[in-house]
């Protein structure tokens, strides 16, 4: 085996919901043999699931080796790690219990392999929050599950693209509850995670971070809400005192409309849509989701399960390939 193959990271890839576009975008990504120059891929799924989608897509050129342990790992080929043997009915585009059950199974096996050191990084295909939850998997998504699995004090959902990086203070929280999470303590925690990630993961020595306000016009000096005065501005001052180059709070609409994000290495948004609508609209190249704060590298595409097009062989693998 050549040194280049030994030096390639082994990357775990979880299948996601087996009825979603996950398998399609994985197959489309790795049918391009150039991907093998970057990594040794290990897909956590089952042979039957991969074969079902390979036939559905008529992709006879997609070859892989089936493994049940890492002694058989092939660095020149795609590897499929069998996480279950039983027959499972696959119904593309249908949200059902099986889709969530086997998505969780693949994720659990992959995380164990990460902890055991067999895998150096993780790329997760999308899961659906409605069917993945069970007594065994009581989480709203990948990020909280990974946080618990690796005993991380806190994590940051960090959307990254060629021209912008947007982190979220709150993730999958109802809009009616967002304000109670907008605290000085929470903001400081996320600012530290973002700064550390920009330095360590993105190689930026003195990152500049913009903080968005919660309310329209960033509160208009207290006329439209007081979170900016009572929580956000004190957090920014405190972070600056601790050597973090952060600025704001900025009114979110003007910030993105005037392309002010180009002056910063990272942007901290207060809630999901405040950060993700401009990110998905303005990001150049293919955006990805990166989880900062873990002791491992985990990425995912910036889209969901897309049940409406699952099984139709039209899913775009670009974001998954970038991840």
């Amino acid at each position: 085996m050549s040194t280049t193959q030994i030096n390639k990271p082994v990357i775990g890839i979880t299948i996601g919901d087996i009825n979603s576009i996950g398998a399609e975008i994985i197959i489309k990504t790795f049918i391009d043999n150039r991907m093998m120059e970057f990594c040794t891929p290990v897909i956590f799924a089952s042979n039957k699931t991969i074969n079902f989608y390979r036939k559905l897509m008529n992709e006879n050129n997609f070859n892989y080796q089936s493994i049940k342990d890492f002694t058989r790992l092939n660095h020149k080929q795609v590897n499929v790690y069998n996480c279950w043997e039983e027959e499972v009915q696959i119904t593309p585009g249908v949200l059902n219990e099986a889709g969530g059950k086997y998505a969780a199974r693949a994720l659990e096996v992959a995380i164990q392999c990460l902890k055991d050191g067999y895998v150096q990084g993780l790329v997760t295909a999308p899961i659906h929050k409605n069917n993945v939850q069970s007594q065994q998997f009581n989480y709203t998504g990948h990020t909280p599950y990974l946080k618990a699995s690796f005993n991380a004090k806190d994590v940051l959902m960090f959307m990254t693209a060629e021209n912008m990086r947007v982190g979220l203070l709150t993730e999958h929280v109802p809009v009616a509850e967002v304000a109670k999470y907008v605290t000085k303590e929470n903001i400081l925690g996320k600012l530290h995670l973002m700064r550390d990630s920009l330095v360590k993961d993105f190689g930026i020595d003195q990152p500049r971070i913009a903080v968005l306000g919660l309310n329209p016009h960033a509160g208009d000096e207290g006329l439209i809400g007081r979170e900016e005065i009572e929580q956000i501005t004190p957090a920014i001052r405190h972070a600056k005192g601790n050597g973090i180059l952060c600025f704001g709070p900025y009114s979110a609409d003007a910030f993105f409309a005037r392309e002010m994000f180009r002056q910063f290495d990272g942007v901290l948004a207060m809630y999901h849509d405040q950060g993700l609508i401009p990110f998905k609209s303005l990001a150049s190249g293919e955006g990805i989701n990166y989880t900062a704060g873990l002791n491992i590298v985990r990425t995912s595409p910036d889209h969901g399960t897309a049940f409406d097009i699952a099984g139709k062989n039209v899913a775009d693998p670009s974001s998954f390939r970038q991840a």
Side-chain angles (χ1 to χ4, degrees), residues 32-190:
D32 184 344
N33 283 329
R34 289 174 299 182
M35 294 300 291
M36 303 302 298
E37 295 167 21
F38 297 107
C39 66
T40 299
V42 180
I43 302 168
F44 288 87
S46 74
N47 292 342
K48 288 167 187 167
T49 307
I50 298 299
N51 285 338
F52 175 92
Y53 281 99
R54 185 167 68 163
K55 282 186 189 134
L56 183 92
M57 297 163 68
N58 202 18
E59 284 291 7
N60 299 324
N61 296 328
F62 180 77
N63 298 308
Y64 66 87
Q65 173 174 291
S66 173
I67 62 171
K68 286 183 185 170
D69 64 66
F70 279 81
T71 59
R72 300 276 317 281
L73 188 67
N74 185 340
H75 287 275
K76 292 182 177 174
Q77 204 170 16
V78 175
N79 300 267
V80 173
Y81 191 102
N82 270 286
C83 302
W84 63 90
E85 292 292 342
E86 61 265 31
E87 284 285 350
V88 181
Q89 189 178 5
I90 300 169
T91 47
V94 177
L95 178 68
N96 61 22
E97 192 184 345
K101 176 183 172 183
Y102 291 99
R105 172 90 58 86
L107 188 58
E108 285 161 3
V109 175
I111 283 177
Q112 192 55 54
C113 291
L114 266 168
K115 288 180 174 177
D116 292 342
Y118 294 122
V119 173
Q120 276 87 55
L122 183 66
V123 184
T124 56
I127 58 176
H128 198 284
K129 286 156 194 62
N130 282 357
N131 70 345
V132 80
Q133 284 195 322
S134 65
Q135 284 180 315
Q136 292 78 38
F137 190 96
N138 191 18
Y139 300 92
T140 56
H142 281 116
T143 308
Y145 180 62
L146 287 158
K147 177 183 171 184
S149 298
F150 290 97
N151 297 319
K153 198 174 88 176
D154 195 11
V155 291
L156 173 74
M157 185 171 170
F158 206 10
M159 310 301 292
T160 72
E162 288 170 23
N163 63 333
M164 64 197 301
R165 301 180 194 88
V166 178
L168 302 182
L169 179 73
T170 61
E171 294 169 27
H172 301 116
V173 168
V175 171
E177 294 175 24
V178 166
K180 71 181 184 191
Y181 293 97
V182 180
T183 65
K184 179 183 173 184
E185 183 186 22
N186 285 350
I187 294 164
L188 278 170
K190 299 296 186 186

Side-chain angles (χ1 to χ4, degrees), residues 160-162 279 283-288 302 316-320 322-323:
T160 72
E162 288 170 23
F279 180 83
S284 61
E286 292 306 326
I288 66 157
D302 71 348
D316 182 352
S318 305
S319 178
F320 191 83
Q322 190 65 29

